[in-house]
């Protein structure tokens, strides 16, 4: 649905329905973050860490475990003698650097400047960024709304089209910031949006792509969680939904899609866990809106390509997550395109992306967007892309230095151009 700029401004603040007493801010000052090599025996490593209070980053722990250790426990951690390297000398200090947003007057110029990508930004500024882009290109863009969050924020986005007119071509559909702490994802989809609009009139490749597809870009699937990472806990992952009978908050939106949700071993039934799937399939407000919006795309011109942008690990993940033996009907074609996309990404900065089916390449997921959009919404291609840093060699994890925003975005833009030119 079309959405006015005034409506966006009116939904920046959470509604009374989702309002709650503010939590005390977690600073992570003095926390030291480590990457521990598990040597394919993560159970032993986790047992050794059990007496401590680590904050775990990654879900795939077969090769390594990324943890932040409180300052009072660093000496005890070192005494364990684990095979570990340092990701953050002081996690709190690095978070503080990342959150030093600076100033950027979006409305002072007709088109936002590329300097927007030099740093991270507050949620309200992201809303303004999309409003300004739409205002600068009113003839081939409009603001859209894909649903409402637990706390009443709109799942806003932007719809782009080319010479055929809006809604006339198959959809290319992007989701960002599904997991709140993955800040780089919203910046990457913003860069792609920016380049599609700015280069449309001057670059023949971009013009061909935008004339061939309608783009629907939702930069913040989890706006409540994202705001919470900026106000309270930088490492928060889930949405901010409360559940009767539990003091734990949040559901993993990407384990809540109503397809293969009922299967086990790909999500958690514990409300306190990072991958909590919810009480019933599709019972998060965010997912309910997204399902309806996705179905509208399916029922219109269909979905050519869906990408769910995440971090971190440097993966291009194909269907499926729910079954490690399952393959999409066009798996061979998807694999060829993923190989070519990874090769094109690598040309920019030498960044290597691993590609393959989600479950067998990384880990099992149930109730995931890619599986739903492949088998229910019938997208021709549906991928998850896990952005920088890498799982094996990267440093920093979710708190990716601002200096890597533009390189991350540029390499993905090159990959997207290759993918949509060859798909």
């Amino acid at each position: 649905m079309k959405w006015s700029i005034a409506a966006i401004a009116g939904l920046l603040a959470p509604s009374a329905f989702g309002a709650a007493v503010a939590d005390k801010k977690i600073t992570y000052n003095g926390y030291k973050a480590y990457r521990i090599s598990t040597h394919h025996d993560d159970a032993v490593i986790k047992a050794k860490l059990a007496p401590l209070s680590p904050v775990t980053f990654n879900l795939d722990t077969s090769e390594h475990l990324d943890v932040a250790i409180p300052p009072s426990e660093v000496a005890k951690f070192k005494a364990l003698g684990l095979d570990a390297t340092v990701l953050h000398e002081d996690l709190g200090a690095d978070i503080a650097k990342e959150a030093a947003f600076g100033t950027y007057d979006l409305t002072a110029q007709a088109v936002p400047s590329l300097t927007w990508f030099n740093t991270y930004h507050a949620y309200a500024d992201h809303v303004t960024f999309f409003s300004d882009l739409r205002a600068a290109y009113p003839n081939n863009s409009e603001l859209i709304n894909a649903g409402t969050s637990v706390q009443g924020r709109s799942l806003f986005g932007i719809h782009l089209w080319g010479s055929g007119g809006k809604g006339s071509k198959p959809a290319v559909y992007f989701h960002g910031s599904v997991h709140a702490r993955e800040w780089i994802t919203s910046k990457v989809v913003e860069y792609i949006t920016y380049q599609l609009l700015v280069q449309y009139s001057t670059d023949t490749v971009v013009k061909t792509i935008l004339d061939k597809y309608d783009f629907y870009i939702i930069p913040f699937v989890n706006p409540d969680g994202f705001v919470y990472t900026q106000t309270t806990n930088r490492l928060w992952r889930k949405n901010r939904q409360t559940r009767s009978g539990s003091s734990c908050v949040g559901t993993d939106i990407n384990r809540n899609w109503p397809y293969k949700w009922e299967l086990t071993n790909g999500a958690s039934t514990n409300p306190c866990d990072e991958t909590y799937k919810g009480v019933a399939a599709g019972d998060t407000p965010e997912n309910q809106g997204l399902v309806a919006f996705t179905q509208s795309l399916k029922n219109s011109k269909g979905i050519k390509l869906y990408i769910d942008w995440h971090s971190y690990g440097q993966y291009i993940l194909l269907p499926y997550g729910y079954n490690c033996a399952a393959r999409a009907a066009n798996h061979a074609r998807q694999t060829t395109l993923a190989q070519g996309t990874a090769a094109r990404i690598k040309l920019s900065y030498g960044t290597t992306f691993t590609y393959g089916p989600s479950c067998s390449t990384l880990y099992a997921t149930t109730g995931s967007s890619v599986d739903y959009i492949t088998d229910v919404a019938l997208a021709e291609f549906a991928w998850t892309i896990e952005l920088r840093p890498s799982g094996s060699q990267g440093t920093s994890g979710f708190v990716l230095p601002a200096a890597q925003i533009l390189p991350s975005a540029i390499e993905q833009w090159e990959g997207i151009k290759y993918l949509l030119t060859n798909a």
Side-chain angles (χ1 to χ4, degrees):
M1 96 183 43
K2 190 175 179 179
W3 199 28
S4 70
I5 296 174
I8 294 179
L11 285 170
L12 277 172
S15 68
F17 170 78
V21 176
D23 294 335
K24 183 178 179 181
K25 186 177 180 65
I26 301 171
T27 66
Y28 295 102
N29 288 339
Y31 277 66
K32 186 167 285 194
Y34 295 92
R35 169 157 295 162
I36 308 166
S37 296
T38 61
H39 303 290
H40 301 284
D41 199 350
D42 55 339
V44 170
I45 303 299
K46 291 175 181 177
K48 290 183 178 181
L49 292 173
L52 305 181
S53 308
V55 177
T56 302
F57 290 3
N58 58 320
L59 299 180
D60 177 21
T61 60
S62 59
E63 294 185 356
H64 63 90
L65 178 62
D66 294 349
V67 296
I69 303 296
S72 62
E73 297 181 352
V74 169
K76 295 178 182 178
F77 174 84
K78 290 181 177 179
L80 295 175
L82 301 176
D83 182 5
T85 57
V86 176
L87 296 179
H88 297 274
E89 287 288 351
D90 186 335
L91 179 59
D94 288 343
I95 289 173
K97 290 177 187 176
E98 181 192 49
F101 301 141
T103 58
Y104 185 93
D105 188 357
L106 284 160
T107 57
Q109 45 207 321
V111 179
S113 165
L114 272 174
T115 59
W116 169 259
F117 300 99
N118 290 345
T119 186
Y120 294 100
H121 297 276
Y123 176 72
D125 288 344
H126 286 281
V127 176
T128 304
F129 175 84
F130 279 91
S131 298
D132 286 357
L133 272 182
R134 188 270 165 191
Y137 297 95
N139 296 325
N140 63 337
S141 70
E142 67 178 0
L143 299 174
I144 55 175
N145 174 24
T148 305
S149 71
V150 170
Q151 295 180 341
R153 294 182 176 89
S154 283
L155 275 58
F156 75 90
I158 195 165
H159 171 201
L160 315 178
W161 61 87
S163 60
K166 69 177 182 178
S168 63
K169 302 295 171 63
V172 174
Y173 182 27
F174 294 159
H175 282 178
S177 293
V178 175
H179 294 142
R181 61 196 179 190
E182 299 168 10
W183 286 12
I184 187 60
T185 64
S186 56
K187 300 298 290 187
V188 165
V189 300
E190 284 172 345
Y191 185 85
I192 293 170
T193 304
Y194 181 93
Q195 294 298 344
L196 285 166
L197 288 171
V198 171
Q199 294 193 40
Y200 177 69
S201 62
T202 59
D203 188 293
T204 56
V205 173
V206 175
K207 181 173 178 14
T208 298
I209 290 171
L210 197 50
D211 285 345
K212 191 174 181 180
Y213 303 109
D214 276 52
F215 284 74
Y216 301 84
I217 298 168
I218 314 298
F220 294 96
V221 167
N222 183 8
D224 300 345
F226 181 79
V227 170
Y228 193 73
T229 65
Q230 295 198 324
T231 62
T232 309
N233 183 356
R234 175 62 183 86
L235 298 181
W236 186 259
R237 170 184 166 94
K238 301 181 286 183
N239 77 353
R240 295 296 298 163
Q241 188 169 6
T242 57
R243 299 283 182 172
S244 177
S246 175
S247 61
C248 294
V249 176
T251 302
D252 186 340
I253 299 170
N254 201 37
R255 302 295 188 277
N256 191 243
W257 286 77
Y259 182 68
K260 305 298 183 183
W261 176 91
E262 72 285 355
L263 299 181
T264 59
N265 299 322
S268 175
T269 57
N270 182 347
C272 300
D273 287 349
E274 297 277 42
T275 58
Y276 177 55
K277 66 195 292 185
V279 175
D283 70 350
T284 60
E286 293 89 351
N287 191 267
Q288 290 162 13
L290 292 169
V291 165
F293 185 79
T294 301
Q295 286 298 316
S296 74
L297 297 182
K298 172 193 173 184
N299 295 333
S300 179
K301 299 297 180 180
I303 301 172
K304 175 70 174 185
L305 170 68
Y306 168 76
I307 295 181
D308 197 5
W309 300 89
H310 287 266
S311 71
Y312 56 97
Q314 295 174 198
Y315 291 97
I316 299 172
L317 301 174
L318 316 179
Y320 291 95
Y322 76 89
N323 184 330
C324 288
R327 298 290 183 267
N330 62 347
H331 172 70
R333 177 69 177 140
Q334 295 211 46
T335 300
T336 298
L337 286 171
Q339 181 183 34
T341 301
R344 185 58 58 89
I345 289 170
K346 190 173 183 178
L347 286 179
S348 295
Y349 300 97
T351 313
T352 300
F353 275 70
T354 301
Y355 56 90
S358 179
C359 181
S360 58
T361 303
L362 195 55
Y363 48 68
T365 57
T366 51
S368 72
S369 63
V370 164
D371 290 358
Y372 178 93
I373 292 176
T374 296
D375 280 1
V376 181
L378 304 180
E380 186 172 352
F381 307 108
W383 294 0
T384 296
I385 294 185
E386 297 275 358
L387 298 167
R388 293 184 181 198
S390 73
S392 58
Q393 298 176 336
T395 58
S396 75
F398 298 113
V399 186
L400 190 70
Q404 292 199 41
I405 294 172
L406 264 176
S408 297
I410 289 168
E411 67 193 11
Q412 292 303 317
W413 171 235
E414 294 301 318
I416 287 298
K417 286 190 292 183
Y418 168 85
L419 175 57
L420 290 176
T421 300
N422 290 277

